[in-house]
Amino acid sequence: MGPEEALRTLNEELTRGHRLIAAAVTLEALDEAETAVLGRRAPFSSVQRGLGGLDEEARRRVGRRTNEVREALRAAVSDRRRALEGERDARALEGDRIDVTLPGRRLRPGSLHPLTVTMHRIVDIFTRMGYRVVEGPEIETEWYNFDALNIPPDHPARSEKDTIYLDVPGRTDLLLRTETSAMQIRTMERVAPPVFVISPGRVFRQETADPSHSPVFHQVEALAVDEGLTFADLKGTLEAFARAMYGPEVRVRFHPDFFPFVEPGAQLGISCFVCGGRGCRTCKGEGWIELLGCGMVHPNVLKNVGYDPERYTGFAFGMGIERVAMPLYGVPDLRLFYEGDIRFLRQFQGLG
Ligand code: DAH
């Protein structure tokens, strides 16, 4: 083979090689193409083998071209191999694909119970006024729940008709607390005045559940004792509370009431925050909503904890959290709070 024929063959083989390599669509086909253009029996190889028979000048010329064509074809083969391997790997990944795009089970975010939200709001209002939160036991003694609070032994609230007593061998004075007022005593026993505390918690009564009664409900008790506290302080405090809770237009009224642990005792009413006092469903046409019991701490209560009633005076009030929450959220039946019905509870999502 003369040098000119050798160079032509090299050019043809370069063109043919590129075509064969590009046409290979599998790695096996690529191996075959590689053998066909660079293998021992390929025209390229006979040119290479024939180099020795050429004169020196022609050998250099054809030799250089041989190298160029070999490099170009090898590069084309390895490019094509990389591309085919990439396709093979992608196919394998595609085959192993797990479809995670199916709709999952959506987790609904939880939210606080409306009574918890209400309790937090009440506690917030008083802690901002400087009150401290104290909590006490749900199992109480007759002393803390009744005697120390100046509730006489024959008071009807103490009967088994109203109070749940515990059947504990050797003890006859244990009961489920009927009011958070017991925390007044436990607090004053421990600290000297000034005292400004609130105590939220669960209370229990011998009661059949109906729209406005429940054997278990919640209260927040408040107690303030210091030198020089008067009924005006009580009124101001409760007015500030009512406005913070129900809105700045709310008016308050007090009328006399009796609780053994206060003297004088009163009932706080607020003007209906729904109708402004004209009468509506929320206030049952009254224009007013009775909210809580309050009064000036009875001297006997102060004496029971060793406070000097000549030097200290105080006020106390106790409110049912359900009673505060029901008009606030328009809940017509107390029992809804305890049934755990998700359709009811969902309405309060995002409140707290
Ligand atoms: N303990 C009372 C109740 O359960 C509420 C109450 C009334 C608390 C007057 C007080 C108060 O501190 O002064 O109905």
Side-chain angles (χ1 to χ4, degrees), residues 149 178-181 184 203 205 217 219-223 258-259 261-262 264-267 292-297 315-320:
L149 285 165
T178 60
E179 50 188 11
T180 44
S181 309
Q184 291 188 22
V203 298
R205 295 199 187 161
F217 59 103
Q219 288 186 333
V220 176
E221 184 79 15
L223 172 71
F258 175 78
F259 303 95
F261 34 91
V262 284
Q267 185 71 226
L292 57 84
C294 60
M296 301 305 291
V297 180
F315 59 79
F317 49 88
M319 65 186 102

Side-chain angles (χ1 to χ4, degrees), residues 16-29:
R16 190 176 72 99
H18 275 311
R19 192 161 23 81
L20 286 179
I21 291 163
V25 292
T26 64
L27 286 163
E28 295 72 36

